[in-house]
Amino acid sequence: MQKYEIEIKSLLGSVENAGRLKQELIKKGYDTNEVKKSSQLNHYFAYQNEEVLKSFQENFSEIVSPDKLVEFNKILDEGKDFSIRTRESNGKVILVVKASLDAGTSANGVSRAEFEEVLNMSLQELDQKLLDCGLTYQAKWSRQREEFTNNNIVVCIDKNAGYGYLAEFETITENKENVENVKKELEEFMNEVGCVELQQDRLARMFDFYNKNWADYYGTEKIFNIE
């Protein structure tokens, strides 16, 4: 079943603002004792042309598990502006493919189709398979994540290299026609807990700056501010 991800980011800035958000989540019924914590490495990849994308699809059709192959091919056949990345989170290595459904990008858009699968290999091995298909590194990211879940809204509070503290509000729907309604509900929830959306144009500037300078920030505590 194809899943559609609605995700809205909010720039928190300080650890104090992150703490205030946690208090608001408690008021909403989130159990902070059940928080999932993870240390993540995220590697983003770029592709120069459709031939590279085709090579990726053909080669990874032999790696993706048979029960997820239809979903994998569907997002690549029907999606647009793909974001391909690898992730290591608490020892698990994951292939991630996202495609945009709105005016944003697949990397940072609000509404996206997504594919994820845990693979039995190291992050370095998975990266090399992507490089062998002709993809190239776009940037490497590192973050500490706290994930809070209640009903159908997941709230992640991240401490990102470069960005500092950032919140991601996320929900999933299996009905493409319901994406806009779900997005409005998510925006209302954010307003109730005192968070504002990080606008797409500013997010794009931040993303571009990081991609150009990621080697200075990856794995560090350093942050920058881009208006």
Side-chain angles (χ1 to χ4, degrees):
M1 178 69 72
Q2 180 67 64
K3 295 180 181 179
Y4 301 95
E5 170 193 69
I6 298 87
E7 177 188 282
I8 305 178
K9 294 179 173 64
S10 180
L11 188 62
L12 300 175
S14 68
V15 65
E16 290 79 14
N17 287 338
R20 279 192 283 270
L21 174 55
K22 290 178 187 179
Q23 292 303 311
E24 292 298 324
L25 293 178
I26 291 173
K27 294 177 184 177
K28 287 289 187 181
Y30 285 75
D31 186 352
T32 54
N33 293 319
E34 296 295 324
V35 61
K36 296 180 182 178
K37 296 184 179 183
S38 61
S39 177
Q40 297 185 2
L41 301 178
N42 290 280
H43 296 174
Y44 284 56
F45 289 79
Y47 58 94
Q48 287 67 43
N49 52 56
E50 292 300 317
E51 288 302 311
V52 172
L53 193 62
K54 183 178 179 181
S55 174
F56 163 69
Q57 184 173 7
E58 290 176 349
N59 282 277
F60 273 78
S61 290
E62 300 177 2
I63 297 172
V64 170
S65 59
D67 61 323
K68 300 202 74 172
L69 189 55
V70 171
E71 182 184 347
F72 174 73
N73 284 319
K74 181 179 176 65
I75 192 172
L76 288 167
D77 290 338
E78 299 180 5
K80 61 178 182 178
D81 185 34
F82 302 98
S83 174
I84 300 170
R85 61 189 85 166
T86 60
R87 176 182 302 148
E88 183 176 275
S89 177
N90 291 353
K92 292 183 178 180
V93 175
I94 307 166
L95 172 68
V96 182
V97 182
K98 300 193 179 188
S100 64
L101 299 176
D102 56 21
T105 67
S106 56
N108 294 307
V110 170
S111 305
R112 299 177 292 188
E114 68 170 350
F115 170 88
E116 290 190 6
E117 183 171 21
V118 177
L119 296 175
N120 186 25
M121 61 183 73
S122 69
L123 183 65
Q124 292 73 23
E125 289 171 330
L126 180 54
D127 281 6
Q128 189 58 54
K129 289 184 182 298
L130 288 169
L131 295 171
D132 290 344
C133 292
L135 286 91
T136 57
Y137 282 119
Q138 181 181 34
K140 296 182 179 182
W141 300 69
S142 55
R143 69 184 175 198
Q144 301 293 323
R145 164 164 284 190
E146 293 182 301
E147 182 177 315
F148 305 85
T149 303
N150 186 36
N151 297 324
N152 64 330
I153 296 178
V154 176
V155 182
C156 296
I157 299 179
D158 296 336
K159 184 181 180 183
N160 291 278
Y163 284 18
Y165 283 92
L166 184 82
E168 293 184 355
F169 296 80
E170 178 184 316
T171 190
I172 300 290
T173 180
E174 295 178 352
N175 182 0
K176 188 176 181 179
E177 305 302 319
N178 198 37
V179 167
E180 284 303 314
N181 288 334
V182 172
K183 178 183 174 183
K184 290 178 182 177
E185 292 173 0
L186 202 57
E187 290 171 336
E188 290 173 2
F189 178 83
M190 289 178 64
N191 184 60
E192 291 170 2
V193 296
C195 287
V196 296
E197 179 178 358
L198 176 56
Q199 293 301 309
Q200 288 292 308
D201 56 347
R202 185 182 181 191
L203 180 57
R205 290 192 294 273
M206 293 169 62
F207 190 68
D208 181 63
F209 179 86
Y210 185 90
N211 285 342
K212 292 175 179 175
N213 300 278
W214 66 266
D216 295 330
Y217 293 93
Y218 181 67
T220 75
E221 299 277 327
K222 295 165 61 178
I223 62 173
F224 58 80
N225 182 44
I226 301 290
E227 293 297 334

